[in-house]
Amino acid sequence: RKEVEQDPGPFNVPEGATVAFNCTYSNSASQSFFWYRQDCRKEPKLLMSVYSSGNEDGRFTAQLNRASQYISLLIRDSKLSDSATYLCVVSRHYGGATNKLIFGTGTLLAVQP
Amino acid sequence: GAGVSQSPSNKVTEKGKDVELRCDPISGHTALYWYRQRLGQGLEFLIYFQGNSAPDKSGLPSDRFSAERTGESVSTLTIQRTQQEDSAVYLCASSPPAAGTQYFGPGTRLLVL
């Protein structure tokens, strides 16, 4: 079983739709959580961190449920430019004072005009 | 400021040849990761360097793959006796100390004929 699991999609949605992505992680010792975005043929880039209380950045809302080991990303009012692969990322202790980031394989979103 | 750089940006080689890929992390970043991404696939973790700690080599797919890092600077990923299935984009990322985010380089696109 992979340490970070995501539905690969694709999610095909019309412009203006609301779409939600889910992610589960298996290591309960995971400490920090993130969503990254990867555009086609580009490198991944940080979209937002995920906090226990939930957090919002414009049209994007991220939530974390530590008890269920579950992370979500909600995108409201989808734009064509939101089309990309969304990567769920967790950080866990590796050794000493260091952490290691574990990436999910990503969920592909295609927003249609 | 300067981001993570990788060279070459593209590499075409013949099956059986050795290749060396280079990554220059952001100055001051103690953590450095190598990933492989095949066309249409997710990130595949290869190796993780953190400061002077022993690297995590658990993702290297075979003994044809090796990587080195000098202190907290440049890293090289070497693939010996390349095979066609090694064709992929090889991404490098670095992180500052105790931080949970990564900054990716643009990748090296490797094609083994």
Side-chain angles (χ1 to χ4, degrees):
Chain A
R1 182 188 172 192
K2 292 180 180 175
E3 191 164 345
V4 179
E5 300 258 19
Q6 294 183 252
D7 180 345
F11 283 59
N12 295 299
V13 302
E15 272 188 287
T18 295
V19 61
F21 305 138
N22 302 320
C23 167
T24 57
Y25 59 96
S26 61
N27 191 327
S28 59
S30 298
Q31 298 173 314
S32 302
F33 309 89
F34 309 90
W35 284 100
Y36 277 65
R37 170 188 170 136
Q38 185 174 24
D39 291 291
C40 187
R41 299 180 68 81
K42 297 286 189 180
E43 69 274 19
K45 293 185 179 178
L46 178 67
L47 177 66
M48 60 194 300
S49 300
V50 186
Y51 302 116
S52 297
S53 55
N55 49 296
E56 190 173 301
D57 182 1
R59 298 180 294 107
F60 297 82
T61 301
Q63 296 205 314
L64 167 65
N65 184 323
R66 283 188 184 270
S68 302
Q69 295 179 202
Y70 170 96
I71 307 161
S72 66
L73 177 68
L74 183 78
I75 306 175
R76 292 182 300 279
D77 189 22
S78 300
K79 311 292 185 190
L80 294 176
S81 57
D82 294 334
S83 297
T85 296
Y86 290 82
L87 302 163
C88 177
V89 185
V90 305
S91 164
R92 63 168 166 81
H93 186 66
Y94 174 63
T98 63
N99 293 308
K100 179 181 171 184
L101 292 185
I102 313 297
F103 279 76
T105 52
T107 298
L108 178 61
L109 171 65
V111 181
Q112 314 290 337
Chain B
V4 178
S5 60
Q6 292 186 245
S7 61
S9 52
N10 292 282
K11 176 73 177 178
V12 181
T13 191
E14 293 179 347
K15 178 181 172 181
K17 295 285 178 73
D18 298 351
V19 296
E20 190 173 278
L21 313 180
R22 177 186 169 109
C23 172
D24 283 87
I26 294 172
S27 178
H29 282 196
T30 55
L32 187 148
Y33 300 72
W34 282 99
Y35 298 92
R36 177 169 71 179
Q37 189 169 35
R38 293 193 169 108
L39 189 63
Q41 303 295 311
L43 289 177
E44 180 184 359
F45 165 76
L46 296 178
I47 189 168
Y48 165 54
F49 295 92
Q50 176 58 266
N52 296 317
S53 302
D56 177 358
K57 303 179 181 181
S58 60
L60 295 178
S62 76
D63 59 8
R64 295 188 297 106
F65 288 72
S66 62
E68 294 185 348
R69 187 182 187 195
T70 306
E72 295 181 357
S73 62
V74 171
S75 176
T76 55
L77 176 69
T78 301
I79 309 173
Q80 295 178 310
R81 305 181 302 282
T82 51
Q83 304 294 312
Q84 288 181 329
E85 62 262 28
D86 299 335
S87 297
V89 176
Y90 289 82
L91 289 159
C92 174
S94 70
S95 296
T101 58
Q102 289 184 358
Y103 298 83
F104 282 81
T108 293
R109 285 168 175 73
L110 174 66
L111 178 61
V112 182
L113 300 176

